Amino acid sequence: MNDKRLTLFAGHYGSGKTNIAVNYAIRLAKEGKRVCIADLDIVNPYFRTKDSAEELSAVGIDLISPRFANTNVDLPALPAESYRLVQDKSTYGIMDIGGDDRGAYALGRFADAIKAENDYRMAFVLNCYRPLTSTLDDAIEIMREIEAACGIQFTCIVNNSNIGRETTREAFLDSLGFAEALSEKTGLPIWLHTVEERLAAGIADIPVMPLKLQKKYFDLPD
């Protein structure tokens, strides 16, 4: 997959950023890489990387998350330890960015260091079945808002188009044309197609990253 030292996942609310970030971090760790994942979402406390803390710890992944994640207290602040991802060059860093431009502002404080190192991938997580990214123009508008908020441009697209429990092989295949059209219109390559593990075996003809669904994945708010 031509892994970069830093991988940033951003996109529309409910696009599946956190689930992909966790799965990708675990894949890197199982390859023997030293991995740290940071939850930079200071906007939406509902679906946290911390939900997968035990699974991440089991494969040796360090987790950085807001102090009050998964409690009834939600403060819009990032822990100082977050800077470790841009300072420690011996670690593969994964950043789970908050939804839309509001969530992306938190990434801005790391932008200069990330661009200076220039060993990163900024992935736009696409779900073309979500209401606000169901047209090319809407998806591109979200992309541009995120880029303006964080000061970093996207370098690739992750097609995570799904309709929750109703996702079928056909629903995934139907999303390919949209993802390819978005790629052509933006000039960004499609880095990954992602599908739930139960569907991956039936899509052997297309390169995909199988996803183990995290426990809150299907309970995301609209």
Side-chain angles (χ1 to χ4, degrees):
M1 287 189 182
N2 188 26
D3 301 312
K4 301 290 187 179
R5 194 188 74 77
L6 293 174
T7 304
L8 293 55
F9 292 101
H12 179 47
Y13 291 109
S15 59
K17 301 177 300 297
T18 297
N19 191 60
I20 294 171
V22 168
N23 275 270
Y24 182 61
I26 291 173
R27 187 187 73 79
L28 290 179
K30 288 183 176 179
E31 292 176 354
K33 296 180 172 69
R34 183 183 177 197
V35 182
C36 180
I37 185 170
D39 181 351
L40 300 188
D41 190 348
I42 61 174
V43 176
N44 180 15
Y46 187 78
F47 189 26
R48 293 288 199 187
T49 309
K50 194 173 181 65
D51 292 324
S52 302
E54 291 184 6
E55 187 175 5
L56 293 168
S57 178
V59 290
I61 297 173
D62 292 334
L63 169 63
I64 300 171
S65 63
R67 179 181 176 187
F68 297 103
N70 284 2
T71 72
N72 58 1
V73 177
D74 192 58
L75 298 179
L78 292 175
E81 191 183 2
S82 299
Y83 285 93
R84 172 185 167 189
L85 270 73
V86 297
Q87 294 170 341
D88 184 357
K89 304 298 193 294
S90 68
T91 298
Y92 281 81
I94 312 296
M95 294 187 177
D96 176 16
I97 314 302
D100 294 355
D101 55 334
R102 288 180 62 210
Y105 282 117
L107 179 60
R109 69 187 66 185
F110 309 106
D112 288 345
I114 290 171
K115 290 188 289 187
E117 182 183 359
N118 196 29
D119 189 9
Y120 70 93
R121 177 180 281 112
M122 173 81 163
F124 178 70
V125 180
L126 167 70
N127 184 349
C128 69
Y129 296 117
R130 297 290 294 178
L132 295 184
T133 49
S134 61
T135 71
L136 291 178
D137 287 343
D138 286 346
I140 292 172
E141 182 178 358
I142 294 289
M143 292 175 68
R144 301 308 177 223
E145 289 174 351
I146 292 172
E147 290 174 335
C150 70
I152 302 177
Q153 292 186 324
F154 285 104
T155 64
C156 63
I157 296 166
V158 172
N159 178 30
N160 187 48
S161 296
N162 68 85
I163 47 178
R165 295 185 187 279
E166 305 305 315
T167 306
T168 61
R169 180 178 185 275
E170 289 68 31
F172 167 75
L173 294 176
D174 286 345
S175 75
L176 298 181
F178 187 102
E180 290 167 0
L182 182 62
S183 173
E184 181 176 351
K185 195 163 185 178
T186 60
L188 298 176
I190 298 174
W191 173 43
L192 293 175
H193 293 288
T194 58
V195 294
E196 186 185 352
E197 284 181 332
R198 66 183 173 85
L199 296 176
I203 310 177
D205 51 331
I206 298 171
V208 298
M209 184 173 84
L211 296 178
K212 178 179 179 180
L213 298 181
Q214 309 308 309
K215 59 186 178 182
K216 289 188 179 180
Y217 187 76
F218 283 132
D219 299 322
L220 291 173
D222 293 331

